[in-house]
C-alpha cells in the first residue's frame, strides 16, 4: 500500500490503523497471513467517508466480523480489513408491534450468540437457534446462519447496508434468503457493508426461552469441537444429507495434515491442533472433496469464505 494511501486512511478514521497486521488473532481458526491494513472502526459516521476513499483509491477491502467463518490465506490480504467496533454494537429497546410480536434493531457488529442471550432475558423468542454461534449479527445475515432447524431468514425484517454512495434499507422480497446465503447481498459485494439489522421476535416467558438456549448450547458442546480453534462447518450440507455424516462414513475423521486435522468429534469441522497453516487446511479441504466425490458421488461446496 502506498504511503499516501496509508496517510489517507489515518486521516479519515479516529481509531488506530494497523499496517501489515497478522490476521491470525482476528480469526477463530488462528490461521492466516497479514492484512495490508486493519481498521477496527468505532464510529458509524466514519464508514461512508472510509468507503469513498477506499473506492477512489481502488483498494480491495473486506469486513471480517469476528472472523469465525473464514480461512485467511497464508499470503494474507493486500487491502483493508474492516472490523465493526463499538458504534456498531448497539441494541435497541424491544418495540411492541401487536400480535405478540416485538421488534429489536441491533448493530451488525454485535456478537450473535450474546444477542440471543439478551433476547432470552427480555422474553423474546426466535433467536434461540443462534445460542453458541460465535459470529456477528451482520455475518449471520449475509450467510443466513442457522442451526437446529432455525435460521436468520425467519427473524430478520430489515437490513441496513451502507455504501460509499449512501444508505439502503432492504426489506420484503429483497430479503430473499436461501440455505446459508443471502443472494440479495450479491449486488452489494465489494461495495456495501451491513451496518444494522432489525429482527421481529415473539413475546415469550424468559425462562422458557432461556431453557431452549441452554439445550441448544449443550447439544453444540456435545456434537461440535468447541474447545479447539476452528471455522465452524467447512462445507454446506448437500441437499437432503449431512456433509459431516458422509465424511465420517468415508473414515476421514482424525486425518491430519501438519497442524490441521479433521475433527474426531464432527466430520465437517477442521480443527487447528497447533500452528496449522491455511495451505494445510486447503489440502485437507481438497482431500475431503475428492474422497466424498469418489466414495459417494457427491460434490461438496465450502461454507467457509476464503480471504
Ligand atoms: N453425523 C455423523 N458424523 C459426524 C457428524 C454428523 O454421522 O461426524 C450425523 C449426525 O449424527 C446427524 C447428522 O449427521 O445424524 C447431522 O449432523 P448435525 O446434527 O451435527 O448437523 P450438521 O448438518 O452436520 C448443521 C449445521 C451446523 C449446525 C448444526 C446443528 C451446516 C453446514 N451445518 O450441521 O452449523 O450447528 O446443523 O443444527 O448446515 C455452521 O454452519 O458452521 C454450523 C456449525
Amino acid at each position: 500500500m502506498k504511503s499516501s494511501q496509508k496517510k489517507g486512511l489515518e486521516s479519515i478514521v479516529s481509531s488506530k490503523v494497523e499496517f501489515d497486521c497478522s490476521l491470525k488473532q482476528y480469526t477463530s481458526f488462528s490461521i492466516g497471513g497479514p492484512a495490508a491494513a486493519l481498521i477496527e472502526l468505532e464510529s458509524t459516521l466514519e464508514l461512508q467517508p472510509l468507503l469513498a476513499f477506499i473506492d477512489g483509491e481502488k483498494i480491495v477491502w473486506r469486513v471480517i466480523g469476528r472472523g469465525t467463518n473464514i480461512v485467511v490465506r497464508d499470503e494474507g490480504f493486500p487491502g483493508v480489513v474492516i472490523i465493526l467496533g463499538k458504534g456498531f454494537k448497539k441494541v435497541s429497546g424491544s418495540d411492541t408491534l401487536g400480535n405478540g410480536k416485538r421488534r429489536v434493531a441491533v448493530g451488525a457488529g454485535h456478537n450473535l450468540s450474546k444477542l440471543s442471550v439478551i433476547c432470552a432475558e427480555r422474553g423474546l423468542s426466535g433467536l434461540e437457534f443462534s445460542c453458541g454461534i460465535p459470529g456477528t449479527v451482520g455475518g449471520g445475515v449475509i450467510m443466513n446462519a442457522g442451526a437446529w432447524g432455525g435460521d436468520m431468514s425467519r427473524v430478520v425484517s430489515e437490513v441496513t447496508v451502507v455504501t460509499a454512495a449512501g444508505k439502503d434499507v432492504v426489506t420484503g422480497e429483497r430479503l430473499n434468503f436461501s440455505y446459508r446465503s443471502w443472494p440479495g447481498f450479491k449486488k452489494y459485494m465489494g461495495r456495501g457493508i451491513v451496518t444494522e439489522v432489525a429482527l421481529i421476535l415473539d413475546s415469550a416467558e424468559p425462562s422458557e426461552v432461556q431453557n431452549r438456549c441452554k439445550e441448544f448450547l449443550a447439544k453444540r458442546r456435545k456434537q461440535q469441537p468447541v474447545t479447539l480453534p476452528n471455522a465452524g462447518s467447512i462445507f454446506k450440507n448437500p441437499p437432503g444429507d449431512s456433509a459431516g455424516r458422509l465424511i465420517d462414513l468415508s473414515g476421514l475423521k482424525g486425518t491430519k495434515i501438519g497442524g490441521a486435522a479433521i475433527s474426531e468429534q464432527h466430520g465437517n469441522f477442521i480443527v487447528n491442533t497447533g500452528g496449522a497453516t491455511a495451505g494445510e487446511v486447503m489440502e485437507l479441504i481438497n482431500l475431503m472433496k475428492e474422497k466424498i466425490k469418489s466414495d459417494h458421488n457427491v460434490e461438496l461446496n465450502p461454507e467457509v469464505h476464503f480471504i
Side-chain angles (χ1 to χ4, degrees), residues 68-69 129 133 143 145-150 179-180 219-220 223-224 231-237 241-249 253 263-269 303:
T68 55
N69 195 45
F129 72 87
I133 293 184
M143 62 163 306
W148 322 118
Y179 169 64
R180 293 297 180 272
K219 263 169 100 170
R220 184 175 286 274
Q223 295 177 14
Q224 298 176 5
S233 296
I234 291 291
F235 297 104
K236 293 182 184 177
N237 280 337
D241 208 336
S242 154
R245 190 187 78 85
L246 297 176
I247 294 161
D248 193 355
L249 269 181
K253 280 165 131 181
S263 167
E264 296 276 6
Q265 214 173 338
H266 195 298
N268 199 15
F269 280 67
E303 183 195 292

Side-chain angles (χ1 to χ4, degrees), residues 138-291:
V141 166
I142 288 171
M143 62 163 306
N144 189 17
W148 322 118
D151 62 26
M152 294 302 283
S153 73
R154 294 169 194 229
V155 289
V156 172
S157 68
E158 279 168 47
V159 181
T160 304
V161 183
V162 169
T163 65
K167 198 189 236 188
D168 202 358
V169 179
V170 185
T171 57
E173 279 173 12
R174 289 165 67 210
L175 289 176
N176 54 342
F177 291 105
S178 60
Y179 169 64
R180 293 297 180 272
S181 109
W182 172 26
F185 187 70
K186 272 205 190 95
K187 71 177 254 206
Y188 299 107
M189 285 287 231
R191 283 196 322 115
I193 294 182
V194 172
T195 56
E196 195 179 80
V197 177
L199 308 174
I200 296 192
L201 299 161
D202 294 306
S203 291
E205 195 53 52
S207 61
E208 284 173 17
V209 187
Q210 283 166 327
N211 284 341
R212 276 194 294 277
C213 282
K214 273 187 207 148
E215 273 169 39
F216 289 150
L217 207 52
K219 263 169 100 170
R220 184 175 286 274
R221 289 199 178 121
K222 192 162 165 238
Q223 295 177 14
Q224 298 176 5
V226 294
T227 55
L228 283 172
N230 68 76
S233 296
I234 291 291
F235 297 104
K236 293 182 184 177
N237 280 337
D241 208 336
S242 154
R245 190 187 78 85
L246 297 176
I247 294 161
D248 193 355
L249 269 181
S250 285
L252 287 175
K253 280 165 131 181
T255 307
K256 208 170 168 195
I257 298 181
I262 300 173
S263 167
E264 296 276 6
Q265 214 173 338
H266 195 298
N268 199 15
F269 280 67
I270 292 178
V271 290
N272 180 358
T273 62
T277 63
E280 289 162 358
V281 170
M282 300 299 294
E283 261 188 73
L284 261 188
I285 289 178
N286 289 334
L287 183 151
M288 291 154 101
K289 270 180 80 86
E290 279 166 23
K291 182 86 170 128

Side-chain angles (χ1 to χ4, degrees), residues 89 109 128:
K89 294 184 182 178
E128 294 92 312

